[in-house]
Every structure is written in structure tokens, then in C-alpha cells.
Amino acid sequence: MPKKFKFRIQPLLHYKNGNLRAGMSPMGFADEISERLHKPINILVRVSFDDPNILQQHDHGEKTEFDHLVIGYQDEKEFWLTFWMDKGDGLPIGIAFGSDKTVWITPSYKATRFIKKLSDGQVRKVFQHLFEHPEDRAIGINRHI
């Protein structure tokens, strides 16, 4: 019987001196993505999986330990989320928009090899959870699914 797909969401942003902050590595990555997209961000969460092989690769005989981040933005006019693997320049996994909840899986993700890959449905499940649970995008809340 296959194991149930389980993941954890950990919001990474917090306020310090009136500015949004996060740990150096995820915030640096999010800032780079923000610059590339020419968009501000105000959502940054880490996605962890119960299965440690999900979205990891073999690198010179060792398993990688890449971070998986959802970076996004929400205000009164727009709401979007992007799902990334923090590898080098970043590997975009998917993007979704709050207006219609449509999820787009990127061709680069589909073409990349992993020890264990998420199905399109599992990627959608991560986005769906974040759309349906705004408390998991909130600053300073850690939730387990």
C-alpha cells in the first residue's frame, strides 16, 4: 500500500524593524527570484516532505538536501504563488494564481530527474493547501499536514 503524501508548511517571514525578514539563505533566494520576476514578495514558506527523497537528486554519490520554497505575493489586487527548489539559480516547479487557483507545472520541472518526483496532483495539493489555509502563509505560524 503506498504511503500517504504528507508535507509540512513553515512560514519563514517575520517583521523586524518594520521590514519583512527571514533566514539569510531562503531570504536571499527569495530576493533573487523577486528581482528576476520584477515583482515584490510578501509570502515565503518552506515545504518539507515526510519522504526525504522527494525533490532530491544524487550528486556524486550523495543525496542532495535542497530546500523547497513557495514564494508569492498577495494584496487587494493580485495573489500568486510560485513553488521552487532552491538549487543554484533555482528550479521553478509551478506557479498558481489566486484568482482562479489554476496551477501551472513548469516544463523545466517536468524535464528534471529526481530520486522521487511529485506528481502534478501532489504539486497541486501543496498549492491548494496554501490557498485554502491563509494561516499557513501567515508570519510565524508552523503547521503540519
Side-chain angles (χ1 to χ4, degrees), residues 30-81:
D31 284 342
E32 287 177 26
I33 298 304
S34 174
E35 286 180 31
R36 284 193 345 211
L37 298 176
H38 305 288
K39 293 279 193 180
I41 63 159
N42 61 9
I43 297 168
L44 177 60
V45 301
R46 177 177 285 127
V47 181
S48 304
F49 304 97
D50 280 4
D51 183 338
N53 291 316
I54 291 178
L55 298 181
Q56 299 300 331
Q57 299 174 320
H58 288 292
D59 184 24
H60 304 342
E62 299 290 325
K63 184 178 76 167
T64 57
E65 294 185 16
F66 294 123
D67 213 358
H68 309 100
L69 302 170
V70 174
I71 300 167
Y73 183 78
Q74 182 177 16
D75 67 11
E76 310 79 43
K77 297 178 185 172
E78 66 180 304
F79 182 18
W80 53 267
L81 299 170

Side-chain angles (χ1 to χ4, degrees), residues 7 9 74 79 81 96-98 100-101 103 124-138 143 145:
F7 58 94
I9 301 294
Q74 182 177 16
F79 182 18
L81 299 170
F97 298 92
D100 62 4
K101 313 290 189 285
V103 175
R124 284 185 183 87
K125 190 176 257 191
V126 171
F127 281 115
Q128 178 184 358
H129 178 85
L130 289 167
F131 283 129
E132 292 176 359
H133 298 276
E135 69 275 10
D136 284 349
R137 300 186 310 265
R143 300 274 186 223
I145 292 69

